[in-house]
Amino acid sequence: MKVATLRSRDLRGPRLLALVLGTNEIASAIATKLTDASFAVVMSHAPFPLVIRRRMSFHDALFGELSQVEGVVGKRADTLLEVVRIHAKQNSVAVTEMNLSDIIGLRPLSVIVDARMRKHRTPPDLRGFARVAVGIGPGFEVNVNCHTAIETHPAQTGAILSCGTTKPADGQCRDLGGAGRKRFVYSHRHGIWRTAVDIGTPVSKNRQLGWLSGTPVLAPIGGVLRGIARDGARVPEGVKLLEIDPRGRQSCWTGMDERGRDIACSAVAAIEKFILPRLSDRPRFADS
């Protein structure tokens, strides 16, 4: 997908500020593309659901680890001053546990993207906090709790909605190497998750990958560990603990995958459609 991208050389004055809610791989793909489009991006951590595709996201920046997606680096910020310092450097995203009320004290938001992917919860109406509010995935209705929304359902991934509602979560997982839902392990109860296995590790079926409150958790299929919750995480019942990619040499567990790229490109295209007519000096564009 080609997206009209606002280049930094076309901007005058401070970059437009964008807040992305969530630190999962979809939120991180959007943050990466917004950074490429010359927005100053802050990502706000959401404790639920768990982030398992951590090598495809900026989530681990919250724990002092290197987090990078396609040349964009995520850095932890605990104060607004630290956000400003991070944004002073090119290709850097501020990742924080500060909430919306803290971040709007920095300066007015141009964009807010709710990419927390809370599939079975009704998202709040965030339209009053930014020029454009974008909803990602289930639960969003245009002109009710967002200005525009992006589909994440496997049947319409990346579709931009200018009216209506996004598809509800139906428990369907997109196929990956012939495996759908069976490539995931879900928590059977709440508890503390412990693991010593790293993402990217080849695993065989029934290999023990961790413990949930002392109960062993086994690999459901063979392949490469694509995602896994952080060691020591507090886990509610019924959430994804880990994912296995069965595709062998084609396995992917870092960077941005095709799904994330499609959703992120659509989000940026929708945002620019809202933002650009409101700018007094309309910039030039180039395809990317």
Side-chain angles (χ1 to χ4, degrees):
M1 177 184 294
K2 289 187 176 182
V3 176
T5 303
L6 190 60
R7 302 296 185 182
S8 59
R9 64 175 178 270
D10 298 316
L11 290 175
R12 298 177 181 178
R15 291 183 292 164
L16 302 179
L17 182 62
L19 172 62
V20 178
L21 303 179
T23 55
N24 56 62
E25 81 283 359
I26 299 299
S28 298
I30 293 168
T32 298
K33 289 300 182 183
L34 282 172
T35 301
D36 290 344
S38 296
F39 287 85
V41 181
V42 180
M43 301 186 73
S44 178
H45 170 60
F48 178 84
L50 295 175
V51 176
I52 62 171
R53 294 174 185 159
R54 294 180 289 108
R55 296 286 181 88
M56 304 172 77
S57 77
F58 297 119
H59 179 74
D60 283 347
L62 293 168
F63 301 88
E65 298 180 12
L66 176 65
S67 296
Q68 185 170 324
V69 179
E70 295 197 347
V72 176
V73 178
K75 300 179 181 178
R76 181 182 175 101
D78 293 312
T79 66
L80 294 181
L81 180 57
E82 289 177 352
V83 171
V84 172
R85 289 172 176 169
I86 290 168
H87 286 165
K89 298 182 180 180
Q90 292 295 319
N91 298 322
S92 295
V93 169
V95 188
T96 186
E97 292 183 313
M98 291 187 290
N99 56 34
L100 173 60
S101 61
D102 297 317
I103 296 165
I104 59 177
L106 184 61
R107 55 188 171 93
L109 290 173
S110 293
V111 176
I112 185 167
V113 181
D114 191 340
R116 290 174 289 185
M117 306 293 286
R118 294 174 168 177
K119 297 180 180 179
H120 302 288
R121 297 186 182 184
T122 302
D125 183 1
L126 298 174
R127 289 175 297 165
F129 293 98
R131 294 183 188 178
V132 55
V134 184
I136 308 296
F140 290 97
E141 184 174 357
V142 176
N143 295 326
V144 173
N145 57 5
C146 62
H147 293 109
T148 185
I150 310 298
E151 280 286 6
T152 60
H153 191 278
Q156 291 183 293
T157 300
I160 300 173
L161 273 65
S162 57
C163 62
T165 61
T166 52
K167 289 184 176 296
D170 58 9
Q172 298 297 313
C173 298
R174 68 189 181 97
D175 181 87
L176 190 70
R181 188 179 178 90
K182 69 179 182 180
R183 72 178 186 271
F184 296 99
V185 172
Y186 293 78
S187 57
H188 63 283
R189 54 165 294 178
H190 71 274
I192 303 298
W193 169 245
R194 303 313 306 254
T195 183
V197 185
D198 291 331
I199 293 173
T201 300
V203 299
S204 57
K205 183 177 180 179
N206 293 326
R207 174 179 170 179
Q208 184 173 336
L209 300 179
W211 302 261
L212 181 57
S213 291
T215 302
V217 173
L218 310 181
I221 60 174
V224 176
L225 193 61
R226 191 171 195 238
I228 192 166
R230 282 188 67 92
D231 177 55
R234 289 186 175 273
V235 177
E237 182 179 355
V239 300
K240 292 174 181 175
L241 278 177
L242 60 90
E243 177 188 12
I244 294 173
D245 189 332
R247 295 176 294 174
R249 292 183 179 180
Q250 294 182 320
S251 296
C252 173
W253 60 90
T254 62
M256 194 184 302
D257 66 1
E258 182 179 359
R259 175 174 180 258
R261 190 181 307 279
D262 287 346
I263 294 168
C265 287
S266 293
V268 174
I271 288 165
E272 292 185 335
K273 181 179 179 180
F274 273 85
I275 291 290
L276 289 176
R278 304 185 187 189
L279 297 179
S280 58
D281 184 13
R282 199 177 171 92
R284 294 180 293 109
F285 283 87
D287 287 338
S288 64

